[in-house]
Amino acid sequence: MSHIPVMLPEVLAHLRPAPGETHLDGTFGGGGYAAAILETGATLYALDRDPAAIARGAALLARFPGRLHLLHARFGEMLAAMAEQGVSALDGVVLDLGVSSFQIDQAERGFSFRADGPLDMRMGREGPTAADLVNTLPERELADLLWELGEERHSRRVARAIIAARPFATTLELANIIRRSLPRDPSGLDSATRSFQALRIKVNDELGEIERGLDAALRLLAPGGRLVVVSFHSLEDRIVKRVMQNAAGRAPGASRHAPAALTARAQPAGFQLLTQRAERPGDAECGANPRARSARLRAIARLGVA
Ligand SMILES: C[S@@+](CC[C@H](N)C(=O)[O-])C[C@H]1O[C@@H](n2cnc3c(N)ncnc32)[C@H](O)[C@@H]1O
């Protein structure tokens, strides 16, 4: 069992870690990005909200003594975590959103609709579980959740089926009820996918974390510092795109054919987009690692010389 880092060469090309620099990896996971950053000679602060990921990092700590600082924290609270470490400016921040293969593959974490496990889905192991949500939410709220965070077109139908069959204790009990409530997906996608995505995002407040994490990262970047974000679905990418475009002084959704005066703010932006549109992984990577298929990378730099 392992986690294959997604778009690693592209991440490094934008992050450009170098000896003497200080970087932050807000999503340590299996440590794939972290090891590559440390190999350049940079110092790295790495966060993960999952204590199991932090525990797995012991080998990397031993390999890079004094240069890797591994912290159990959410990237949404990186300002406080860095202040505690006495760090006020960073040369680079990277976020690789979502769950790791370790989390998905361990049935007992409750993320998978293919292997049976307790209906949990908490990356950080605190707060309400997915079971707490599906067993207590009113039908209307559950339907809205599946619609907004899962983009499930048949959200009302799924919510009705869940309410009729609850309480649920395990992932497969829930997945089977969802599957039975829906027609077969013509694309071959498991029809439980969207509902499981919605529950996972809600349980971990993933979109709130992205908003807080991006805001904090932009504040922490030193002049010349780079922020690189890899996201895996449109809800995440939409936030990343909006925040980066705003920071770079671009009106969101403005046409690139419009006169510059209409798209630029009156004030100098202070940040420059390093990617004009999201970068996607190549065919070879998608063939070798199916998880990479939905990846999108965006990057931005604070103006000025480090
Ligand atoms: C896709 S994996 C990262 C993989 C990593 N880049 C690598 O190369 O191994 C995402 C990791 O981020 C963690 N994570 C997700 N949201 C987080 C948050 N808000 N704060 C801190 N860690 C988070 C998850 O627990 C998971 O371990």
Side-chain angles (χ1 to χ4, degrees):
M1 195 177 60
S2 68
H3 179 94
I4 307 170
V6 172
M7 297 186 79
L8 180 57
E10 293 87 346
V11 165
L12 292 176
H14 289 297
L15 200 61
R16 291 187 287 105
E21 286 195 344
T22 303
H23 287 250
L24 182 145
D25 177 352
T27 52
F28 177 74
Y33 287 6
I37 293 167
L38 287 159
E39 273 159 16
T40 68
T43 293
L44 182 68
Y45 289 84
L47 316 181
D48 205 295
R49 70 192 295 177
D50 185 347
I54 299 299
R56 262 195 318 270
L60 214 54
L61 276 174
R63 217 173 110 200
F64 297 99
R67 273 202 295 121
L68 171 59
H69 306 270
L70 199 49
L71 308 169
H72 180 219
R74 286 180 284 109
F75 58 67
E77 56 186 10
M78 74 170 81
L79 272 179
M82 288 301 94
E84 234 170 71
Q85 301 291 315
V87 177
S88 57
L90 294 163
D91 299 297
V93 176
V94 62
L95 300 177
D96 180 17
L97 301 173
V99 279
S100 71
S101 304
F102 294 108
Q103 291 164 331
I104 293 278
D105 292 347
Q106 282 181 324
E108 66 271 22
R109 299 298 302 270
F111 290 103
S112 176
F113 45 78
R114 296 206 179 88
D116 206 12
L119 193 52
D120 189 323
M121 300 197 194
R122 293 170 306 169
M123 293 187 214
R125 315 231 169 130
E126 78 264 308
T129 64
D132 293 331
L133 289 184
V134 292
N135 292 336
T136 60
L137 279 183
E139 183 172 331
R140 179 69 192 270
E141 275 182 49
L142 187 57
D144 289 349
L145 166 65
L146 301 178
W147 170 261
E148 285 162 21
L149 300 182
E151 298 175 313
E152 172 55 71
R153 283 191 302 128
H154 302 292
S155 56
R156 300 206 175 287
R157 202 200 292 191
V158 176
R160 203 176 315 128
I162 289 176
I163 302 293
R166 72 188 188 186
F168 295 95
T170 76
T171 55
L172 283 193
E173 285 173 10
L174 177 66
N176 288 335
I177 290 295
I178 297 170
R179 287 175 187 133
R180 256 181 257 147
S181 73
L182 290 174
R184 196 172 280 282
D185 196 298
S187 72
L189 186 79
D190 189 310
S191 45
T193 309
R194 285 180 289 270
S195 299
F196 269 59
Q197 172 188 300
L199 289 168
R200 194 200 86 202
I201 293 175
K202 179 71 176 174
V203 163
N204 296 290
D205 185 21
E206 291 181 35
L207 302 186
E209 272 296 299
I210 296 172
E211 297 272 6
R212 290 186 289 274
L214 294 177
D215 180 67
L218 292 175
R219 286 167 194 265
L220 280 166
L221 283 189
R226 290 79 63 195
L227 166 65
V228 183
V229 185
V230 178
S231 63
F232 290 90
H233 54 76
S234 54
L235 296 171
E236 293 174 338
D237 185 54
R238 215 174 290 158
I239 299 174
V240 178
K241 180 178 175 183
R242 169 174 48 76
V243 171
M244 288 191 178
Q245 289 199 336
N246 277 342
R250 298 270 192 92
S255 161
R256 62 197 164 94
H257 304 294
L262 288 181
T263 55
R265 279 205 203 129
Q267 297 294 319
F271 291 91
Q272 179 186 22
L273 295 178
L274 299 175
T275 49
Q276 295 307 317
R277 56 187 59 214
E279 289 181 5
R280 311 292 305 263
D283 292 344
E285 178 170 8
C286 293
N289 180 13
R291 212 187 143 263
R293 282 181 200 149
S294 53
R296 290 176 178 81
L297 181 154
R298 293 184 190 270
I300 190 169
R302 187 187 280 278
L303 295 173
V305 182

